[in-house]
Amino acid sequence: MNIHHAMLGLLGMEPLTGYDIKKIMQNSPLFHWSGNNSQIYRALSDLLLKGYVAGEVVRGDASPTKKRYALTETGRQALEDLSKAFPELPEIKKPILTQLLFGQDLSRQEMETILDQYEREIRGLLLLKDENGFIKSAPPLAMAIWEASAQSLRAFYEGELAWIERIRQKALPLAKSPVIHPESERKSMHCATIHQKGQTYVTVTDGQILTEQDGLDLVSACMEHGTNRVLLPAACLSDHFLRLSTRLAGLVLQKLVNYNIRAAAVLDTQKTSERFQEFSLEANKGHAFRLFATAAEAEAWLLAE
Amino acid sequence: MNIHHAMLGLLGMEPLTGYDIKKIMQNSPLFHWSGNNSQIYRALSDLLLKGYVAGEVVRGDASPTKKRYALTETGRQALEDLSKAFPELPEIKKPILTQLLFGQDLSRQEMETILDQYEREIRGLLLLKDENGFIKSAPPLAMAIWEASAQSLRAFYEGELAWIERIRQKALPLAKSPVIHPESERKSMHCATIHQKGQTYVTVTDGQILTEQDGLDLVSACMEHGTNRVLLPAACLSDHFLRLSTRLAGLVLQKLVNYNIRAAAVLDTQKTSERFQEFSLEANKGHAFRLFATAAEAEAWLLAE
DNA sequence: GAAAACATGTAAGCTGTTACATGATTCG
DNA sequence: CGAATCATGTAACAGCTTACATGTTTTC
C-alpha cells in the first residue's frame, strides 16, 4: 500500500489538483501520509506516465494556473485491482514506548514529565474533530466507512490515555527516585492515614509541602493505603506552596489529578495572598480539590461523595 | 525516533549480537521494525563509528564467530539524551481503510471477503501471546512498561474487531449488490418474520438457499426486522447446501456468525450424507447454530436463551 | 542427510521527509 | 501592505525493505 493507491482513490471520486490532494491528506490522520507535496507531485507524474490519470490545465482568469487530474479507464481498472488485494495488516508506531522502556536512567520525575507531555498531546488530538476532512461529495458507503474509522481512531487515542494511566499506576512507582542531596537534610514531610466512618484518607502530620517530590510522596502514600483522598492541614501548606509564582501548588495538584486523587485543604485565610484566593475560588469549581476554613468542613467534604 | 534509539536501549540492558537484536525486533510487534538484518548491521556499524557501542568478538569452539556489542559510556549518555526528548506522537497505518474506502466498485460480497480475511488475521494476532518477546533479564520497571504496552496493543486489535463489526453493520449494507444475471431468473428465496412468545425470528417461506447471496439476504432480513434469530426449515436446505464439497453451508453459516445471528435448522435425516451429519454434530457444540429433527424443537431452542 | 536455525554481511531500490525555489491571490 | 493561503515544482537525503550471498550448527 503506497500513496499511489490512495491518490487513485481520491481522483476516482472527483478530479483534483495536486494541492487538493495534499490538503486532504494533511487534514486527517486517517491518511497516514504527512501531506507532503513533494511526494504527491512525484506520484502524480508517475500516474500520468502510466496512463492512470489524465491532467487538464485550468487557466482561471484571476487565479493561478492549476492542473486538475482525473482517473482514466486504465486507472479505474488499476484501482479496482488494488481494491481486491489481500488486506494488509495495520501497523502502530509508538516512539514513546521505546523512550520509556529504555529510559531506565531517568528519574521518576523526568518520566512523569514525559508522560504528562504525551497525555497533553493525545488529549489535543482527541479534541480536534476531523469533521469533513474528507471529500465532501463522497458516496454514503465511503462516508460510513470514514465515520467508523474516525471513531476507531478516537478509541485508539482513548486507549493511549488508558495506557498512560496504567504506566502511571503500575510502572512509575518502580522508577528511580531522584538523588537525595544528603547535605540538605531537609525536614521531610510525614504522612499518616486516618480511618473515619469506614473510610480512609491520608493526611500530613509533620513537615510541609516544599517540593514536587512531596506531591509524589502523597500519591505514594495513597496508593500504599488504597485510598484516593487526601486532607492537607493548614500547617503543611508552606509559604512556598502558597506563593503562586513558584507554581508548586499547580504542580502538586496536577499530580493528584493525574492519579485521580481528591484533596481537601484547610486554609489560614490571613496567610494567603489575594491571587491564591482567586486561584482557590477557581479550583473550588472542580470536584478534585477544595479549600475549607476548618478541618471539620474539609473532612466532611472529603468523606462525602 | 529511529532504530538506533531502540538498539542503544537493548544494548544498554545487556550485550547482544546483531542477530540477537534482529530476533528481538522480529518477535514483537511493539518494535515496529520488521526485524531486518540489513538495517541492523548497518546501524550497528554506525553506532560503532560514533563510539556508542564497542564490539567484542566471541570465538566459541563449536559455534560460529559472533560479534557481541555493548554500550559504552558515551553510548549511555546518548541514550539518556534521547530518553529525555519531547515524546513523539503515535502513528497508525491502516491500509485496509484506503482499500475499502476507495473500493466503491467492489460488490458487497467482495468487500465481505476482504473483511473476513482481515478479521482472521487480526484474530490470529490476538491469539499469539508475545510472552517473553523481550529481553529476559529486563528490570521490573521495563517489564511493567512492556506489560502495559502489550495489553494496549491487544486493546488496539480488539478495537479493530469492533471496527470490522461496525463496518459490517453500518457500511456494507450500502455497498453495491452484485450484478444479477437477468437470464438466470433463478427462483429467489423468500423470507418472512414470525412473532412467537413476544420474540421475533426470520424464516424461509419459499425457495431454497442456493448461493452465498441467499446467506446475505438472510442477514439483511434479520437486520431489517431487528432480530438475530433464523429458522431454516427442511425445505429450504437445497441438495447443493447439504453437499459439503460445495462449502456453501460453511460460507452461509460464517456469514451468520459474523453478524452474530443464531440459526436453527430442521433436517430431513434421510436426505443428509454421513459427512454432513458429522459436520452438524460438530456444529451442535457451538451455540450459534443447531440442527433439529422437527420444527417445534428448532423453534423452542431458538426462542430460549 | 536434509531442513531449520544461527550468524554476518552487501547492493539496490522503494517510500517518504526536509528544505529549497517561485509566484499568484486573498484577507485582515 | 504584510501575512497567510493557494499552487506547482526540484534536489537531496533519511529510513526501511527486498533480495542476494555465504558459511556454520543444531535438530529432526
Side-chain angles (χ1 to χ4, degrees):
Chain A
M1 244 293 302
N2 50 21
I3 203 171
H4 294 70
H5 184 166
M7 284 172 60
L8 280 178
L10 285 172
L11 293 176
M13 294 199 165
E14 66 179 293
L16 296 166
T17 69
Y19 191 74
D20 292 333
I21 295 177
K22 179 195 154 173
K23 294 310 288 299
I24 294 174
M25 299 242 170
Q26 222 164 31
N27 284 337
S28 176
L30 287 178
F31 292 111
H32 63 266
W33 298 275
S34 67
N36 166 302
N37 49 1
S38 173
Q39 200 187 356
I40 286 165
Y41 287 114
R42 192 145 36 87
L44 226 32
S45 67
D46 271 12
L47 296 178
L48 202 60
L49 212 79
K50 283 186 186 148
Y52 290 170
V53 300
E56 163 213 16
V57 176
V58 181
R59 203 180 303 277
D61 290 334
S63 75
T65 334
K66 334 180 199 184
K67 287 183 197 159
R68 183 175 294 129
Y69 295 87
L71 215 56
T72 62
E73 184 48 35
T74 24
R76 226 214 72 264
Q77 188 56 52
L79 176 59
E80 202 181 319
D81 289 346
L82 286 170
S83 300
K84 282 179 186 163
F86 191 91
E88 286 172 52
L89 289 176
E91 262 174 64
I92 294 190
K93 254 190 221 182
K94 202 165 144 172
I96 196 182
L97 168 57
T98 314
Q99 199 176 352
L100 290 184
L101 200 57
F102 300 124
Q104 302 286 320
D105 285 342
L106 263 46
S107 71
R108 175 161 179 180
Q109 256 161 52
E110 287 169 320
M111 286 203 167
E112 294 255 6
T113 307
I114 290 171
L115 268 185
D116 287 355
Q117 288 169 332
Y118 188 61
E119 180 177 7
R120 215 163 296 137
E121 297 281 320
I122 296 286
R123 287 198 187 280
L125 289 177
L126 266 170
L127 283 180
L128 59 86
K129 52 190 188 306
D130 65 346
E131 17 177 344
N132 46 358
F134 192 44
I135 273 182
K136 296 130 254 165
S137 60
L141 169 56
M143 278 307 188
I145 294 174
W146 187 258
E147 194 77 5
S149 306
Q151 200 174 328
S152 129
L153 186 65
R154 275 194 299 277
F156 169 72
Y157 290 144
E158 269 149 27
E160 282 305 283
L161 293 180
W163 174 81
I164 293 169
E165 203 50 37
R166 223 173 307 130
I167 297 285
R168 283 210 186 102
Q169 307 274 353
K170 299 270 172 66
L172 287 192
L174 303 170
K176 274 204 327 195
S177 290
V179 183
I180 292 150
H181 302 289
E183 64 265 39
S184 76
E185 279 286 347
R186 65 181 181 78
K187 196 182 164 203
S188 62
M189 192 189 70
H190 287 290
C191 300
T193 52
I194 294 192
H195 304 272
Q196 196 71 257
K197 297 178 193 163
Q199 293 187 302
T200 305
Y201 65 85
V202 165
T203 188
V204 178
T205 53
D206 196 17
Q208 293 192 312
I209 299 176
L210 290 167
T211 66
E212 214 180 327
Q213 179 60 41
D214 291 325
L216 277 178
D217 288 348
L218 280 173
V219 172
S220 299
C222 281
M223 307 239 292
E224 205 175 306
H225 299 98
T227 176
N228 67 336
R229 293 158 215 261
V230 166
L231 193 148
L232 301 174
C236 81
L237 301 180
S238 61
D239 292 345
H240 192 62
F241 183 91
L242 296 175
R243 215 171 310 127
L244 274 180
S245 58
T246 63
R247 301 184 30 79
L248 180 58
L251 287 171
V252 170
L253 292 181
Q254 186 55 48
K255 289 265 171 291
L256 297 177
V257 167
N258 282 346
Y259 288 90
N260 193 30
I261 292 168
R262 287 169 55 227
V266 184
L267 206 59
D268 185 348
T269 34
Q270 291 161 331
K271 259 176 77 182
T272 53
S273 72
E274 228 170 277
R275 280 285 314 281
F276 195 90
Q277 298 205 0
E278 278 172 41
F279 167 77
S280 63
L281 270 174
E282 192 61 34
N284 275 2
K285 289 177 189 164
H287 62 301
F289 177 67
R290 290 268 161 120
L291 287 164
F292 298 92
T294 67
E297 283 177 90
E299 189 183 61
W301 175 79
L302 203 59
L303 298 181
E305 286 185 44
Chain B
M1 245 293 302
N2 51 22
I3 203 171
H4 294 71
H5 185 167
M7 282 172 61
L8 281 178
L10 285 172
L11 292 177
M13 295 200 167
E14 66 178 293
L16 296 166
T17 68
Y19 191 74
D20 292 334
I21 296 176
K22 180 195 154 174
K23 293 310 287 300
I24 293 174
M25 300 242 168
Q26 222 164 31
N27 283 337
S28 177
L30 287 178
F31 292 110
H32 63 266
W33 299 275
S34 66
N36 163 304
N37 49 2
S38 173
Q39 201 187 355
I40 286 165
Y41 286 114
R42 193 144 34 82
L44 227 31
S45 68
D46 272 11
L47 295 178
L48 203 60
L49 212 80
K50 283 185 186 150
Y52 290 170
V53 300
E56 163 213 15
V57 176
V58 181
R59 204 180 303 279
D61 291 332
S63 75
T65 336
K66 336 178 197 186
K67 288 184 197 159
R68 181 176 295 129
Y69 296 87
L71 214 57
T72 62
E73 184 48 34
T74 23
R76 226 213 73 263
Q77 188 55 52
L79 175 60
E80 202 181 318
D81 290 347
L82 286 170
S83 299
K84 282 178 185 163
F86 192 91
E88 286 173 52
L89 289 175
E91 264 175 62
I92 295 190
K93 255 190 220 180
K94 202 164 142 171
I96 195 182
L97 168 57
T98 314
Q99 198 176 351
L100 290 184
L101 201 56
F102 300 125
Q104 303 286 321
D105 284 341
L106 262 47
S107 71
R108 177 163 178 180
Q109 257 162 51
E110 287 168 321
M111 286 202 168
E112 295 255 4
T113 306
I114 291 171
L115 268 185
D116 287 355
Q117 288 169 333
Y118 189 62
E119 181 178 6
R120 215 161 298 136
E121 297 281 320
I122 296 287
R123 286 198 189 278
L125 289 177
L126 266 170
L127 283 181
L128 58 85
K129 52 191 188 306
D130 65 346
E131 15 175 348
N132 45 358
F134 191 45
I135 274 181
K136 294 131 256 166
S137 61
L141 169 57
M143 278 307 188
I145 295 174
W146 186 258
E147 195 76 4
S149 306
Q151 200 174 327
S152 130
L153 185 65
R154 276 193 298 277
F156 169 72
Y157 290 144
E158 267 149 28
E160 282 305 283
L161 293 180
W163 174 82
I164 292 169
E165 203 49 37
R166 223 173 306 130
I167 298 284
R168 282 211 186 101
Q169 306 274 351
K170 298 272 171 65
L172 287 193
L174 303 170
K176 275 204 325 197
S177 290
V179 183
I180 293 150
H181 302 288
E183 63 264 42
S184 77
E185 279 285 347
R186 65 181 180 79
K187 196 180 165 207
S188 63
M189 193 188 70
H190 287 290
C191 300
T193 52
I194 295 192
H195 304 273
Q196 195 72 259
K197 298 177 191 161
Q199 294 186 300
T200 307
Y201 64 85
V202 165
T203 190
V204 178
T205 53
D206 197 15
Q208 294 192 311
I209 299 176
L210 290 166
T211 68
E212 213 178 328
Q213 180 60 42
D214 291 325
L216 277 178
D217 288 348
L218 280 172
V219 172
S220 299
C222 282
M223 307 238 292
E224 207 175 304
H225 298 98
T227 177
N228 67 336
R229 293 158 215 261
V230 166
L231 194 148
L232 302 173
C236 81
L237 301 179
S238 62
D239 292 345
H240 192 62
F241 183 90
L242 295 175
R243 216 172 308 125
L244 275 180
S245 58
T246 63
R247 300 183 32 79
L248 180 58
L251 287 170
V252 169
L253 292 181
Q254 186 56 48
K255 290 264 172 290
L256 297 177
V257 168
N258 283 345
Y259 287 90
N260 193 30
I261 292 168
R262 287 168 57 225
V266 183
L267 205 58
D268 186 348
T269 34
Q270 290 161 333
K271 258 176 78 181
T272 52
S273 72
E274 229 170 278
R275 281 286 314 280
F276 195 88
Q277 300 206 358
E278 276 172 43
F279 168 77
S280 62
L281 269 174
E282 192 61 34
N284 274 3
K285 289 178 189 162
H287 61 302
F289 177 66
R290 289 266 163 121
L291 287 165
F292 298 92
T294 67
E297 284 177 89
E299 190 184 62
W301 175 78
L302 203 58
L303 297 182
E305 285 186 42

